[in-house]
Amino acid sequence: MAEVSRTFTVAAPLEKVVAYLRDFANTEAWDPGTDTCEQTTPGPVAVGTEWHNVSSFFGRTTELTYRMTRDDPDHVVFEGRNGTAATSDDLAFEKVDDASTSITYRAHLEFTGLARFADPVARLAFEVLAAKTVKQMTGVLEAR
């Protein structure tokens, strides 16, 4: 199991940050590990909405189905699964002032079956990816 947590502040108002990050298709822009992410359920984004995500991790491409499991004005959670992994992206938001938002980003990755033997290496790679994610997410949100 690999887990990372980062708290950081972006120069963007809370409402804009939450509106952008609650659509998981936007991970293409802010997550350096995501190659493509497409909403697969029709209609507006809400709890139960699913996305097909293609990511690169450890130099390998993997496909996951993500589902929104929490959609609050200050907290969203997405859970992803495939045959070898379960993952979650947990994003909590707090208004700092009218022009800035604090984001707490927690990511969890757990391999299943034989893939679980990759856990020690995954922890290290996940730490590196988390640092890149914070930098990329900040840049994307502040440019909007």
Side-chain angles (χ1 to χ4, degrees), residues 31-44:
D31 180 1
T34 295
D35 298 327
T36 63
C37 191
E38 180 179 314
Q39 185 175 331
T40 57
T41 53

Side-chain angles (χ1 to χ4, degrees), residues 102-117:
S102 175
I103 301 170
T104 298
Y105 174 66
R106 294 176 192 92
H108 172 91
L109 172 65
E110 188 169 345
F111 291 108
T112 58
L114 291 175
R116 73 184 180 280
F117 294 111

